[in-house]
Amino acid sequence: MDLILSAIDILMRWDVALALLAGSVGGVLIGAIPGVGPAVAIAILLPATFSMDPIVGLTVLLGIYGSSMYGGAIPAILINTPGTAVNALTTYDGYPMTARGEPRRALSLAYSASFFGGIFSVICLILFAPVLAKIAPMFGSREIFMAALLGLILVVVAHRGQALIAGALACFGIFLQTIGLEPVKYTQRYTFGQDFLGSGINLIVVVLGLFAISQAFVLLTDEDEKVRMTRLRGGMFQGLRELARHPRVAGVSATFGVLMGMVPGVGEFTAQFMSYTYAQKTSKRPQDFGHGSSEGLIAAETANNAVPAAAMVPLLALGIPGEALTAMMLSVFYVHNVVPGPGLFQNDMDFVVALYLALLILNVLVLLFLLFATRSLIQVVRIPNRFLGVCILTLSFVGVYSLRNSATDCVMAAAFGILGYVLKRLSLPAVPIILGMVLGGIMEVKLRAAMARVKEPFDFIDRPVAFILFLLIIIVLAVHILRVLKDQKELKEAEWQTKSSSTSFGSLMWRRRNSFLKDHGKRVRARHSKLLRRLTDLF
């Protein structure tokens, strides 16, 4: 009880309350605008948070992180366009409700499910905090190195079908982190005699380039779409009553969100997929899923909003971010000399509980705001893409320049913006680069510290926690390799069956397959040519 009272005292400051209100309302607005998303907003705000107290800066970022998914449901349901990437599954059942004249019901149900998922997650983690305080001291340099390595591997294998390129991008991020002065003997690495590389490549410059500036390029090069909005009638409280009729789906989905949020590199997509699949398989009306099922909408929205609070566990307990947004928050800790990890739970437990209480209050504020302001809020969907692109580009360069008053940083941010733009157009992930930079630095420091006590290779895993983490790494790699081999085997079997078919139908399907592959190759080459023309136009 004393711990909670101390955390409440931290949150009673006027600047913390203002930051919480601004973050929660601003996050909803950002989420409701298709094409922006929380990563862009957090990247732009990062330089400003460095001058704030840690609790104030983190409260603003947490507000945007936790509330953007609420706002992302609005365009997903009304115009079949997810406001944030994690709201893509919301369109499956949300938009069909709108199509049959039930937009108010769909929005109200999405808000209620998101609120339940967020509250459930925070309560679980407040109750779990004392356990974390006892487990955290078991992690030394070896254990944190193994945990960071496990997180990096999970991030790579989570990109199914793109694991190789994700691994290459993660290694590129690790390489970027090594540029400049190395952390022990302070010798120059990969600077090639260039003074501007002596201080290394700033993480915030890379973040703003890959996420904010690249998204501005996308918005500037895409054409504006005419949006036809659906008029809302009636109250918005219906979803709270309807959610109470599906406690099993909501409870299981929230549990999936909490569990998946605590695993680095997994996040909202896996939690949503597992929740949606469970809800469909256990439903009495599985045929309604994808056609306006209330259970499907509850599963998707509950799971994705249960993740943000859970994602703070590896960040706070071990100093290991599981995704790009928590990696950005980690930089706020470092700027203010607040080191996440075992010491944080031992010495500043009230600070940790204050962050969780902030998330609790955030969900209440967002729900009240949306229940009364949705009719006015939906107008932000009409903002033109190119106007947004100009605003994001301007704010991004202002933020980059304010870091060190360096024009060189602006040039580097623009270069990473072009790289991010190319990655977006090729549908390749940029997150592994950021996590490679963050986790690479952690792994290097902890490995050097651990090697002072290691005489033989097996000494590295001679402690229980380190050995368990090592086994998890082996299991994850083995499962991924088996899954890849299985996919290849199934593909070969399908090709063999098609080739061996002597029926006219089989021959026809084989010819169609070859024709499809040929046409697909032409489309890929045309897309690449179009991309090159757009890059040329940028210059």
Side-chain angles (χ1 to χ4, degrees), residues 153-167 265 269-270 273 427-429 432 479-488 490:
I153 291 172
L154 285 170
V155 169
V156 171
V157 301
H159 292 86
R160 188 169 184 177
Q162 294 181 320
L164 185 61
I165 188 64
F269 291 107
T270 305
F273 174 77
S427 300
L428 298 177
V479 170
H480 177 68
I481 292 172
L482 291 174
R483 186 172 64 183
V484 171
L485 293 176
K486 181 180 178 182
D487 291 343
Q488 290 181 349
E490 290 177 351

Side-chain angles (χ1 to χ4, degrees), residues 69-152:
M69 298 172 197
Y70 282 89
I74 295 174
I77 290 172
L78 296 181
I79 61 173
N80 202 27
T81 302
T84 69
V86 298
N87 291 109
L89 200 59
T90 306
T91 61
Y92 285 19
D93 295 288
Y95 185 71
M97 287 186 181
T98 299
R100 66 180 183 227
E102 299 177 331
R104 176 179 58 84
R105 176 193 171 206
L107 285 172
S108 178
L109 193 58
Y111 298 159
S112 304
S114 296
F115 175 75
F116 176 80
I119 295 295
F120 181 91
S121 176
V122 175
I123 292 175
C124 286
L125 295 171
I126 289 177
L127 297 176
F128 193 53
V131 180
L132 287 175
K134 295 179 180 179
I135 295 176
M138 300 180 184
F139 281 78
S141 297
R142 294 175 238 183
E143 288 79 9
I144 293 179
F145 169 79
M146 300 295 287
L149 180 60
L150 175 61
L152 197 59

Side-chain angles (χ1 to χ4, degrees), residues 193-415:
Q194 302 297 320
D195 294 336
F196 71 92
L197 292 176
S199 57
I201 296 180
N202 192 291
L203 174 65
I204 309 306
V205 172
V206 180
V207 167
L208 281 164
L210 288 178
F211 290 95
I213 295 177
S214 67
Q215 187 62 31
F217 289 160
V218 171
L219 293 171
L220 288 170
T221 54
D222 285 346
E223 295 182 358
D224 293 331
E225 296 182 3
K226 294 183 179 179
V227 178
R228 298 182 62 183
M229 299 300 300
T230 303
R231 181 173 296 179
L232 300 178
R233 297 183 178 87
M236 296 294 294
F237 292 89
Q238 177 184 353
L240 293 170
R241 295 191 298 270
E242 189 169 359
L243 179 69
R245 295 199 292 268
H246 302 285
R248 176 183 52 81
V249 174
V252 173
S253 300
T255 303
F256 277 132
V258 171
L259 295 177
M260 295 300 103
M262 289 190 292
V263 180
V266 178
E268 294 90 350
F269 291 107
T270 305
Q272 282 182 314
F273 174 77
M274 295 176 68
S275 302
Y276 195 86
T277 303
Y278 168 82
Q280 186 174 20
K281 288 184 177 180
T282 58
S283 174
K284 294 180 180 179
R285 297 184 59 83
Q287 68 276 11
D288 291 344
F289 280 68
H291 302 282
S293 169
S294 58
E295 291 178 282
L297 186 57
I298 290 171
E301 285 296 303
T302 303
N304 67 26
N305 257 60
V307 169
M312 297 298 291
V313 171
L315 177 67
L316 295 175
L318 302 174
I320 297 173
E323 57 181 352
L325 298 180
T326 48
M328 297 180 201
M329 294 181 196
L330 185 62
S331 62
V332 180
F333 281 98
Y334 286 156
V335 165
H336 295 284
N337 294 319
V338 178
V339 182
L344 187 64
F345 276 80
Q346 289 178 310
N347 305 322
D348 295 305
M349 195 62 192
D350 54 346
F351 180 83
V352 176
V353 176
L355 289 178
Y356 285 140
L357 288 180
L359 278 171
L360 194 69
I361 299 170
L362 157 75
N363 282 278
V364 177
L365 289 175
V366 171
L367 181 66
L368 293 175
F369 174 70
L370 286 171
L371 289 177
F372 292 102
T374 295
R375 290 179 181 81
S376 301
L377 185 63
I378 60 177
Q379 300 304 318
V380 301
V381 178
R382 300 177 181 272
I383 298 177
N385 288 345
R386 290 173 180 170
F387 175 76
L388 284 174
V390 171
C391 292
I392 292 172
L393 198 61
T394 304
L395 292 173
S396 298
F397 281 118
V398 169
V400 171
Y401 188 78
S402 66
L403 288 173
R404 296 183 289 196
N405 295 332
S406 171
T408 304
D409 285 345
C410 294
V411 175
M412 294 178 66

